[in-house]
Each structure stands twice: as structure tokens, then as C-alpha cells.
Amino acid sequence: MQSNVSGLKRNIFMTKPAPLAATQPKRLRGHLRVAAITEAATRLFAEKGFDAVTMTEIAASSGTAIGSLYRFFPNKESLADALLLEYTREVIDRLEALEKDVAGVDIATAADLFTRFVLSLQSQRTFALRLVEERREHEAARLQFRDAMRGGFSRALQVVIPALPSARASLMTIVILQVLKGAAASNLQNADERKAVLDEAQALLVLYLSTERAKTNPTKILR
């Protein structure tokens, strides 16, 4: 997975550099402090939006002295960039793991792995998209991330269905991601009902993948 997915680790959010960059901690205490800061910032940005949150609020919520906060993150933009970069790295790492995990498995297992992948990213995805939408200077990075996400997922599909043409895999990726994201984001209060919706979406995915594999390799018995 060496194409645009790996390249994204180096290039994401470089289309418009922040005025100042975050400082990486060198000691365990510093890492723990940064973890507390990013956790507080994620919660506050999700609750109130990027523009409404102040550095003073983040410092207070994380139990950090304002001077320490500015030492690690010179401005709110550098903190937001750090959160988005961390999310991007997490997605890319999981895409690489997904491609390995689906190798040699049957269709039902592959569908389960695809569903779990989307669910594992859903909560952070909502936050990351909102943060990017509120900071329009990162629109190019958002599109780059979207393309990398689709590319990685498409390659995982081709591992499950080796004869699947790239163009077809790309189209199927869009359909699958939309269906699974929609099912995961269903505004259902009842946990049992939400699980039932996800189960139905996964059953549809099994049928979709099985039908496609039969078309690309009609002599293979469906599993």
C-alpha cells in the first residue's frame, strides 16, 4: 500500500502550514500532558466547534497550566492540526491492517472485517470532518484523505476478490462505505434496533461481495 495512502502520512495538512508548529514532548511526563491536552481539545471541539473553543478552556479542562499548553501547542490551529494528523495516521494504519486481515478469508468474514473497520472509525470521523469543515484551508487535504481512504479500501476489496478490476473496486468502495457509514450513523435510540440495522447492512454486504465474486470467477463455489 505504498501509493497515495503512505504518501498521505508525509503530505497531509501541508497544503497550508499553520503559523507555528506543535512541539513534540521528549519525556514521559510531557507525553502524558499532551495526551490530556488532546483529549480535552477533542471533547471541546466536538461539543462547541473549533471557533468557539479557547486555549484557556482547553488548558483548564486538561488541568494544564496555560504556559505549558502554549509550550506544546503555540496556537489553536497547531493543536487542531495535531488532532487531524493523528486521526489520519490511525486510519492509514488500520487500512494497512485491513488489507492483511482480509487475505485468505471467506466472504462472510471479509464483510465482518469491513464493517468493524468502518465502525471503529465512526466516532472520530464525525469529529474530524467537522473540524476540517470549519477550517476551509484544509479542503485540499480533506480530498486527499478521502482519496487515500477509498484507495486503501479498494485494494482490500481486490484482496478478497482478486479478479476485481480496479475501476469496479473503486465504485464498489464508494457504495460499501456509504452503506456502512449510513447504518453506523443511524439515529436510533434503541440499541437492539441499531444492531439489527447493522446486521442487515452486513448481510447486504455479504450478498454484494458474493455476487461480485461469482461474476469475476463463475466457476468458484461461493462460500
Side-chain angles (χ1 to χ4, degrees), residues 20 30 48 59 63 83 96 110 151 154 163 177 207:
L20 295 170
K48 304 175 67 174
L83 294 175
E96 292 172 345
S154 178
L177 289 177
L207 181 60

Side-chain angles (χ1 to χ4, degrees), residues 81-110:
D81 284 349
L83 294 175
L84 290 168
L85 181 58
E86 183 59 32
Y87 173 73
T88 299
R89 286 171 173 160
E90 181 182 353
V91 173
I92 290 169
D93 288 344
R94 292 191 184 190
L95 279 169
E96 292 172 345
L98 178 65
E99 187 173 354
K100 294 176 183 177
D101 290 344
V102 297
V105 304
D106 59 25
I107 289 293
T109 303

Side-chain angles (χ1 to χ4, degrees), residues 1-6 90-105 109-110 113-114 117 148-162:
M1 190 174 296
Q2 197 63 34
S3 59
N4 59 344
V5 175
S6 296
E90 181 182 353
V91 173
I92 290 169
D93 288 344
R94 292 191 184 190
L95 279 169
E96 292 172 345
L98 178 65
E99 187 173 354
K100 294 176 183 177
D101 290 344
V102 297
V105 304
T109 303
L113 289 169
F114 287 142
F117 168 77
M149 171 80 162
R150 290 179 179 177
F153 199 94
S154 178
R155 280 186 288 278
L157 268 180
Q158 289 179 293
V159 171
V160 177
I161 310 175

Side-chain angles (χ1 to χ4, degrees), residues 121-135:
L121 299 174
Q122 191 65 18
S123 60
Q124 286 295 314
R125 175 181 175 273
T126 301
F127 157 74
L129 287 178
R130 180 178 178 185
L131 201 54
V132 169
E133 287 171 359
E134 293 178 352
R135 303 181 63 218

Side-chain angles (χ1 to χ4, degrees), residues 9-115:
K9 288 183 178 178
R10 299 186 300 271
N11 299 328
I12 194 71
F13 307 127
M14 296 302 291
T15 54
K16 183 177 179 180
L20 295 170
T23 300
Q24 293 297 317
K26 295 182 173 61
R27 299 179 181 177
L28 176 60
R29 184 177 178 182
H31 283 285
L32 293 175
R33 178 57 55 207
V34 166
I37 292 169
T38 55
E39 181 181 347
T42 299
R43 184 177 65 256
L44 289 169
F45 287 149
E47 291 173 357
K48 304 175 67 174
F50 176 78
D51 291 334
V53 176
T54 68
M55 292 290 272
T56 301
E57 285 180 284
I58 295 170
S61 182
S62 62
T64 304
I66 191 70
S68 296
L69 173 59
Y70 278 112
R71 179 160 61 88
F72 291 118
F73 300 100
N75 51 52
K76 192 167 63 170
E77 288 75 17
S78 66
L79 177 49
D81 284 349
L83 294 175
L84 290 168
L85 181 58
E86 183 59 32
Y87 173 73
T88 299
R89 286 171 173 160
E90 181 182 353
V91 173
I92 290 169
D93 288 344
R94 292 191 184 190
L95 279 169
E96 292 172 345
L98 178 65
E99 187 173 354
K100 294 176 183 177
D101 290 344
V102 297
V105 304
D106 59 25
I107 289 293
T109 303
D112 182 62
L113 289 169
F114 287 142
T115 303

Side-chain angles (χ1 to χ4, degrees), residues 100-223:
K100 294 176 183 177
D101 290 344
V102 297
V105 304
D106 59 25
I107 289 293
T109 303
D112 182 62
L113 289 169
F114 287 142
T115 303
R116 290 177 183 273
F117 168 77
V118 172
L119 289 176
S120 70
L121 299 174
Q122 191 65 18
S123 60
Q124 286 295 314
R125 175 181 175 273
T126 301
F127 157 74
L129 287 178
R130 180 178 178 185
L131 201 54
V132 169
E133 287 171 359
E134 293 178 352
R135 303 181 63 218
R136 290 297 181 183
E137 67 267 28
H138 288 325
E139 178 65 14
R142 184 187 71 80
L143 295 174
Q144 186 183 23
F145 171 79
R146 182 202 66 186
D147 291 344
M149 171 80 162
R150 290 179 179 177
F153 199 94
S154 178
R155 280 186 288 278
L157 268 180
Q158 289 179 293
V159 171
V160 177
I161 310 175
L164 192 65
S166 295
R168 180 64 182 165
S170 296
L171 179 59
M172 289 180 66
T173 289
I174 296 172
V175 173
I176 292 170
L177 289 177
Q178 289 298 319
V179 169
L180 292 180
K181 288 174 186 176
S186 298
N187 188 22
L188 300 173
Q189 300 299 321
N190 187 303
D192 291 337
E193 191 176 24
R194 184 172 183 273
K195 182 181 183 303
V197 169
L198 286 169
D199 288 345
E200 287 296 306
Q202 188 169 322
L204 286 173
L205 179 54
V206 170
L207 181 60
Y208 191 32
L209 295 176
S210 298
T211 301
E212 199 64 32
R213 190 168 72 174
K215 288 194 294 187
T216 58
N217 191 356
T219 62
K220 188 164 187 170
I221 299 175
L222 298 181
R223 291 188 290 170

